[in-house]
Amino acid sequence: AVGIVPRRRPPRSAMGRGLSLLLLPLALLAAPARAEGGTAAAEEVQIEVLHLPEACSPKSKKGDLLNAHYDGFLASDGSKFYCSRTQNEGHPKWFVLGVGQVIKGLDIAMMNMCPGEKRKVTIPPSLAYGQQGYAQGKIPPNATLIFEIELYAVNKGPRSVEAFNQIDKDGDKKLSEFEISQYLKEEFERDGKKRHPSGHDEILADIFKKNDHDRDGFISAKEYNVYQHDEL
């Protein structure tokens, strides 16, 4: 359950450091969080919409690639444990929504969000780091977290059927390194934003490391669709 309380600067793209680096800052947001004592059902993410642009499209959904800035605070004392603007030369962060690249609470909190929208979200421990906390991120056990989020971009994620078919130029239902490399180049050229030169190779290597499970040099439809939110 999600409680919603109704209530831009130009984005600076970070995809040049891309998916391969997105959770060095977000690593602390992706550590396993297990609900203790069955409390997850009784707790929910609270969402306060701070700003909603007149043009609210597209809305984010599972599998989309999002670009956002966020600040993280401990609800107990208001202390800030993370600020994305102080990392990676201040670039917003890229991540795929709804697939576990961030804590469960953020995957919930950023659904149905549109570019330019700002939210303040409160996440209970059962949807964050539970009883174990996350010492590396300075998050104590049983901590309720607050995030202030500004979303800049909602793009079709790398796991959609459309994306797979666009990449698979020869229609053989498997993706070669060359096909994925060409797709990344086209996407980078399309949005016209400057990215770090190493970004392309980093993202390409990361994609194959995480998806080419049989290490045959190709990503099959089954391997690509690891998150199972589309049918190929």
Side-chain angles (χ1 to χ4, degrees):
V2 178
I4 299 182
V5 182
R7 214 185 64 113
R8 177 164 149 170
R9 68 177 202 188
R12 296 172 59 203
S13 173
M15 196 169 179
R17 302 217 177 236
L19 300 180
S20 60
L21 295 182
L22 70 94
L23 287 209
L24 186 52
L26 283 178
L28 64 95
L29 303 183
R34 296 180 179 85
E36 305 293 342
T39 58
E43 295 183 304
E44 64 180 23
V45 175
Q46 295 293 329
I47 300 175
E48 180 182 2
V49 178
L50 303 177
H51 173 71
L52 188 66
E54 291 185 11
C56 185
S57 179
K59 289 189 175 182
S60 60
K61 63 183 184 302
K62 182 179 179 182
D64 283 342
L65 182 63
L66 306 188
N67 184 232
H69 262 316
Y70 56 88
D71 295 318
F73 305 86
L74 297 179
S76 59
D77 60 8
S79 62
K80 183 183 290 188
F81 62 82
Y82 186 73
C83 175
S84 63
R85 292 173 175 84
T86 64
Q87 304 290 324
N88 193 26
E89 298 179 346
H91 293 298
K93 309 306 174 189
W94 288 95
F95 64 95
V96 179
L97 182 65
V99 300
Q101 289 189 342
V102 292
I103 56 173
K104 181 64 174 178
L106 279 177
D107 270 339
I108 294 170
M110 296 185 70
M111 290 288 184
N112 298 310
M113 196 171 180
C114 55
E117 185 173 344
K118 297 179 182 180
R119 289 181 177 182
K120 180 178 180 180
V121 304
T122 303
I123 299 174
S126 62
L127 298 174
Y129 298 96
Q131 291 185 359
Q132 73 272 27
Y134 191 63
Q136 185 178 344
K138 299 181 180 180
I139 298 172
N142 299 311
T144 296
L145 307 181
I146 296 173
F147 288 93
E148 294 181 358
I149 305 163
E150 182 172 5
L151 182 61
Y152 294 129
V154 177
N155 296 329
K156 284 185 179 179
R159 304 293 176 173
S160 68
V161 171
E162 294 90 346
F164 185 93
N165 291 335
Q166 287 174 5
I167 300 168
D168 185 23
K169 298 293 188 182
D170 59 10
D172 63 355
K173 296 301 179 183
K174 61 182 181 180
L175 308 179
S176 67
E177 184 172 327
F178 177 77
E179 286 175 325
I180 295 178
S181 178
Q182 288 300 112
Y183 177 75
L184 290 174
K185 288 178 181 177
E186 291 169 3
E187 286 296 297
F188 291 169
E189 290 171 359
R190 186 173 292 116
D191 69 20
K193 299 185 179 78
K194 291 185 177 180
R195 294 183 169 89
H196 193 279
S198 66
H200 177 276
D201 292 340
E202 290 175 351
I203 295 173
L204 186 62
D206 189 64
I207 288 171
F208 271 86
K209 179 180 178 181
K210 293 180 178 178
N211 297 280
D212 183 17
H213 304 303
D214 60 11
R215 297 295 183 256
D216 66 349
F218 294 90
I219 297 174
S220 67
K222 183 177 181 180
E223 288 172 327
Y224 180 91
N225 199 34
V226 68
Y227 299 132
Q228 302 298 319
H229 68 84
D230 283 317
E231 291 300 327
L232 285 165

